Amino acid sequence: MIQISVCMIVKNEEKILARCLDSLKGIWDELIIVDTGSTDRTKEIAARYTDKVYDFIWTGNFSDARNYSFSLAECEYIYTADADEELDPENRKKFLQLKETLLPEIEIVQMYYGNQMAQNSVYNFDKEYRPKLYKRLRTFTWQGAVHEAVSLEPVVYDSDIEILHKPEGQHSDRDLQIFETLLAKGEALNSRLENMYLRELYFAGSPENYAKAESYLQGILNEAEPEDDRFQKATALLCRMYRTKQEMKNFLKYGLKGAATKGSSELCLELGEYFLEQKDYEEAAVWFYNSAYETECLLDIRSGGITPLKKLITCYDALGNKEQADLYLAELEKYV
């Protein structure tokens, strides 16, 4: 049987920490909880489960805190958990079975991360594989009878364990602030972080967030080819910003840039919203149709289905075309 260090970083999680830890009982041989500045009863609750509760001065960087928690671990494997996660009884049983049977050559175990769509998160899936269990120390070995080489790729096992993500609230304000701080320092975002930043803006950006992102989004347009997804995401976000600010010259400028190239479901939604606000229901329906059927969603999977279908029903109800409205209602019910 393998031994597992459960490593967590927490801050102000008094409402949900016990729920998470109760679901992990029997999993850990060592429980390490790193607190990044709680002002509630989080540390008190953590101390009921382990004497390994540590303080970490927040640096504005989650990786710094994660790396510190990993540095404290002593068991063969490390499991990383967040306070808003939970293992239900069935998946807890699967995890205990994994602990009994895991082959020693496996270095990373992936588990399903689920319940995402129910949380209105920035993710376009209900569950996905994520690496959750890591071998603490890797052993490098030479392989091959001739032209030998050290294997650098970890041995990964995709388990059927599913972790339920059950946050009390969203963290978009916090995440957007971190992104804005990075950009203000002139730090570059890699493609993964940029994609997350654009999603956070789309789902939860305030007018202030959009204002701070304006030059970054325009910079993407200067760098990327019009057919690139980066270009299309930026035009959709700029269109949203300028429509909400009622800066119609810029709204038209970036709307045309996107529509004249590949376009996206999100861009078509913004154009449809504009005509809907003008009560031009026929023109709005054209763009909502394009959003649902003729373009690809790049930021929000709902922009290519549920959202424009609801808008099409609104348009055809306003036009008194019940037959067409009912047709799109039937389409919507397929999604629901």
Side-chain angles (χ1 to χ4, degrees):
M1 179 192 298
I2 65 169
Q3 290 194 320
I4 296 175
S5 297
V6 170
C7 292
M8 302 178 66
I9 60 172
V10 297
K11 181 179 179 181
N12 293 338
E13 305 286 10
E14 65 176 5
K15 293 181 180 179
I16 57 176
L17 181 58
R19 181 188 71 190
C20 172
L21 294 176
D22 285 341
S23 77
L24 289 173
K25 282 182 178 178
I27 302 294
W28 73 71
D29 299 280
E30 176 185 51
L31 175 60
I32 294 167
I33 297 181
V34 172
D35 188 273
T36 60
S38 292
T39 55
D40 63 3
R41 296 172 51 250
T42 294
K43 290 172 66 177
E44 175 189 334
I45 294 167
R48 298 175 191 168
Y49 296 83
T50 180
D51 60 356
K52 296 186 176 183
V53 180
Y54 302 89
D55 290 310
F56 181 81
I57 298 174
W58 180 241
T59 64
N61 187 317
F62 281 96
S63 290
D64 290 344
R66 294 274 187 211
N67 287 332
Y68 177 64
S69 73
F70 273 34
S71 74
L72 300 168
E74 296 182 354
C75 290
E76 182 184 7
Y77 282 84
I78 298 174
Y79 177 73
T80 176
D82 289 329
D84 59 7
E85 298 173 4
E86 181 181 354
L87 277 175
D88 63 19
E90 178 184 357
N91 285 287
R92 182 174 175 276
K93 182 179 179 181
K94 290 179 181 178
F95 202 142
L96 290 171
Q97 290 172 343
L98 177 78
K99 187 175 179 181
E100 292 272 1
T101 60
L102 189 67
L103 298 173
E105 62 266 26
I106 293 174
E107 297 170 309
I108 295 176
V109 177
Q110 296 207 113
M111 301 177 187
Y112 285 115
Y113 203 69
N115 202 41
Q116 290 291 74
M117 297 295 282
Q119 308 302 325
N120 194 31
S121 70
V122 300
Y123 297 100
N124 284 330
F125 50 82
D126 196 50
K127 66 179 184 179
E128 69 161 355
Y129 267 130
R130 288 190 182 182
K132 294 293 289 181
L133 184 67
Y134 305 84
K135 201 163 193 177
R136 186 169 65 87
L137 298 176
R138 291 191 64 190
T139 301
F140 292 99
T141 57
W142 290 90
Q143 296 179 353
V146 66
H147 299 299
E148 67 280 2
V150 172
S151 175
L152 301 178
E153 293 296 324
V155 180
V156 179
Y157 170 61
D158 292 340
S159 74
D160 62 349
I161 299 168
E162 181 172 350
I163 301 155
L164 295 177
H165 186 215
K166 300 171 68 174
E168 285 289 297
Q170 298 301 319
H171 305 296
S172 295
D173 289 346
R174 175 202 67 190
D175 294 347
L176 283 167
Q177 184 177 5
I178 292 173
F179 281 123
E180 289 163 1
T181 300
L182 291 174
L183 294 177
K185 291 179 180 178
E187 296 189 23
L189 302 181
N190 62 32
S191 59
R192 183 182 69 85
L193 284 180
E194 180 183 89
N195 186 51
M196 294 305 299
Y197 178 41
L198 301 186
R199 286 183 187 276
E200 295 277 11
L201 277 173
Y202 189 81
F203 279 90
S206 67
E208 292 76 16
N209 296 134
Y210 272 91
K212 291 178 181 179
E214 184 175 7
S215 61
Y216 185 83
L217 294 172
Q218 291 173 341
I220 291 176
L221 298 189
N222 292 332
E223 298 169 4
E225 295 295 325
E227 296 298 320
D228 289 352
D229 286 352
R230 291 182 71 217
F231 186 97
Q232 298 301 328
K233 291 173 187 176
T235 56
L237 287 164
L238 286 166
C239 271
R240 169 172 283 193
M241 179 181 73
Y242 291 126
R243 180 178 63 80
T244 55
K245 290 171 66 175
Q246 293 296 299
E247 294 185 16
M248 304 321 296
K249 178 181 177 181
N250 280 326
F251 170 75
L252 180 63
K253 173 182 175 181
Y254 292 103
L256 289 174
K257 280 182 182 291
T261 53
K262 185 172 69 172
S264 67
S265 295
E266 291 83 1
L267 177 70
C268 292
L269 267 182
E270 291 304 314
L271 294 168
E273 289 286 2
Y274 167 75
F275 289 107
L276 186 60
E277 290 169 357
Q278 306 304 311
K279 298 188 181 344
D280 188 343
Y281 301 113
E282 289 186 354
E283 189 64 24
V286 170
W287 290 106
F288 291 137
Y289 181 90
N290 275 278
S291 178
Y293 297 107
E294 300 294 339
T295 49
E296 179 185 359
C297 50
L298 301 176
L299 294 165
D300 178 12
I301 194 171
R302 287 155 285 223
S303 68
I306 291 175
T307 304
L309 288 172
K310 288 179 178 178
K311 298 293 184 179
L312 283 165
I313 294 167
T314 299
C315 289
Y316 284 106
D317 278 340
L319 291 167
N321 189 337
K322 186 176 185 305
E323 180 181 359
Q324 198 70 23
D326 287 345
L327 186 153
Y328 289 117
L329 179 59
E331 288 290 304
L332 179 63
E333 288 173 349
K334 295 178 184 178
Y335 279 90
V336 176

